[in-house]
Amino acid sequence: MSDTIATQLSFKTAIGRWSGLGPYYAMFPREFAFKVVENYSKPGDAIIDPFAGRASSIYAAAAMQRSGCGIEINPVGWLYGYVKLEPASKDSVLKRIKDIAEIAISITQEKLDDVPDFFNFCYSQNVLRYLITARDELCWNNNIVDATLMAIILVNLHGRREQSLSNQMRQGKAMSPEYSINWWKERKLTPPEIDPVEFLNKRVEWRYTKGTPNLENGKVILGDSTSIISELVQKVSCGECKPFDLLFTSPPYYRITNYHYDQWLRLWMLGGPNIPTWISNKWQNRFESKNAYRELLQIVFSGCAEIMETRATIYVRTDARQFTRETTLEVLHDVFPQKSIDIVSQPFKKNTQTALFGDKSKKPGEIDIIMK
């Protein structure tokens, strides 16, 4: 590892434990994001990630004296990215934890009984009371204090028993309510009795132990890249925004998983339905349609081509399976015809999109497509 990367990783640790905010897996491992930003851009450059996820690419860009702009359609990923770039002060978050607890006292038993059975199997009455109050009271989409607290709640919303707020659950995604209830009943697992204020205070203290980042050069936009990219095209064309020097992203993979469905419990916490729900938006599903998948890549990468510097670098990590690989290569070649292509194979590893879901033997890992 170069001295520059080592210095930046040390800096990242020193300013806090925020780069890893989110579930235990990441589409972009943190060290990988820093390495790509260092090797394929220079200080002062502008970086775009139209499929930002938790915005690791944008975090790395801003931490390394670049500017970064990410777009993320899933509010869970967006919230993690938004908060870790510039979280609220520790004292303000601790105060908000206490405020929510004081309001939660007034939650009636009737309101607790009004949620599906899953929630009473998953959480103790005290925790559920707190979560319902936080869900109703926190303005996570326009208030940085509320957003910071909500992000910390989401990280700990479910996972290992007594290391999270829930009964024992898979860490990455919430299983279906019926499956979970039956699993808990068979094992006679009841929700752990947790004081949510004490629990969250400890997590906040840990998160802030080494400081907080203030990465003003990074931003992540909540929305659909297919429409937001066109807005950026207009801004670049009229001089409101400078062209980008590096496109660094990892699009969703064809037929891997449905992030909206898999994150249903965290989305409930953000005000969504209280059961897993398949949604009709074709950009937020599992991409069963090859045509829809190709269309997404074509629209987004074509828009990106209009906002990139002539000598910009394109760095795309994608699935090595045949359809995803070939489709991504075809689209990128079509929209960036003058650029050369270098392909680097990435062996199958843990905590990647291909590793997280399904049969490992059927997924040959990932590839990095680098165009200059």
Side-chain angles (χ1 to χ4, degrees), residues 114-315:
D114 196 39
V115 297
D117 288 345
F118 166 86
F119 290 90
N120 285 292
F121 277 93
C122 189
Y123 301 110
S124 69
Q125 297 283 283
N126 202 23
V127 170
L128 184 56
R129 206 174 259 110
Y130 191 94
L131 294 179
I132 290 174
T133 304
R135 182 176 183 268
D136 291 343
E137 295 292 330
L138 293 180
C139 300
W140 55 268
N141 55 349
N142 58 24
N143 180 294
I144 189 57
V145 176
D146 285 6
T148 304
L149 173 53
M150 182 61 85
I152 291 170
I153 290 174
L154 292 190
V155 170
N156 298 285
L157 188 61
H158 62 80
R160 293 180 181 176
R161 183 180 173 83
E162 296 181 357
Q163 294 181 24
S164 68
L165 291 164
S166 72
N167 209 336
Q168 177 66 40
M169 291 187 70
R170 181 172 177 172
Q171 288 179 287
K173 62 180 182 178
M175 306 304 285
S176 72
E178 183 178 1
Y179 174 90
S180 297
I181 291 172
N182 290 335
W183 193 86
W184 289 324
K185 283 182 175 179
E186 289 173 5
R187 290 157 180 79
K188 298 180 180 179
L189 290 173
T190 57
E193 291 297 333
I194 293 172
D195 179 343
V197 172
E198 180 182 349
F199 179 94
L200 291 171
N201 282 347
K202 287 181 180 179
R203 270 62 186 177
V204 168
E205 293 289 349
W206 178 87
R207 186 70 64 176
Y208 282 80
T209 296
K210 297 182 179 180
T212 56
N214 185 4
L215 305 178
E216 296 179 350
N217 287 336
K219 68 175 180 178
V220 57
I221 302 168
L222 175 60
D224 183 348
S225 285
T226 61
S227 59
I228 291 174
I229 286 291
S230 62
E231 297 172 11
L232 289 176
V233 170
Q234 294 179 356
K235 290 183 179 181
V236 170
S237 64
C238 68
E240 288 184 41
C241 176
K242 64 175 286 190
F244 293 89
D245 305 283
L246 173 62
L247 167 60
F248 177 27
T249 194
S250 182
Y253 300 169
Y254 173 68
R255 295 192 71 179
I256 287 290
T257 188
N258 184 315
Y259 296 107
H260 192 96
Y261 187 89
D262 290 339
Q263 293 294 332
W264 74 268
L265 187 53
R266 292 188 173 105
L267 288 168
W268 166 79
M269 194 66 212
L270 297 181
N274 58 20
I275 57 173
T277 305
W278 296 96
I279 61 174
S280 58
N281 187 329
K282 65 180 180 180
W283 308 137
Q284 290 179 284
N285 57 31
R286 192 169 176 254
F287 292 104
E288 298 283 355
S289 165
K290 291 183 176 181
N291 290 335
Y293 186 76
R294 182 184 297 272
E295 181 186 1
L296 173 67
L297 298 188
Q298 189 74 44
I299 292 172
V300 173
F301 287 141
S302 294
C304 288
E306 297 187 51
I307 59 176
M308 306 302 296
E309 288 280 8
T310 304
R311 296 185 178 182
T313 298
I314 314 303
Y315 198 111

Side-chain angles (χ1 to χ4, degrees), residues 37-109:
V37 168
E38 184 197 40
N39 290 344
Y40 295 95
S41 66
K42 62 183 185 300
D45 279 357
I47 296 172
I48 179 76
D49 185 347
F51 303 104
R54 294 190 297 151
S56 295
S57 57
I58 307 307
Y59 186 94
M64 299 180 75
Q65 292 77 54
R66 283 76 164 164
S67 62
C69 178
I71 305 167
E72 176 53 39
I73 197 170
N74 190 308
V76 176
W78 172 83
L79 182 62
Y80 291 142
Y82 171 62
V83 167
K84 71 185 181 185
L85 288 169
E86 195 174 356
S89 70
K90 183 178 76 171
D91 288 345
S92 66
V93 177
L94 291 174
K95 181 179 182 302
R96 195 65 170 129
I97 290 172
K98 182 180 177 181
D99 291 343
I100 296 298
E102 290 174 352
I103 300 171
I105 295 172
S106 62
I107 293 291
T108 63
Q109 186 62 43

Side-chain angles (χ1 to χ4, degrees), residues 349-365:
K349 296 178 180 179
K350 294 181 179 180
N351 300 350
T352 65
Q353 291 195 48
T354 51
L356 284 169
F357 307 100
D359 182 0
K360 164 178 168 177
S361 65
K362 296 179 181 179
K363 301 182 177 69

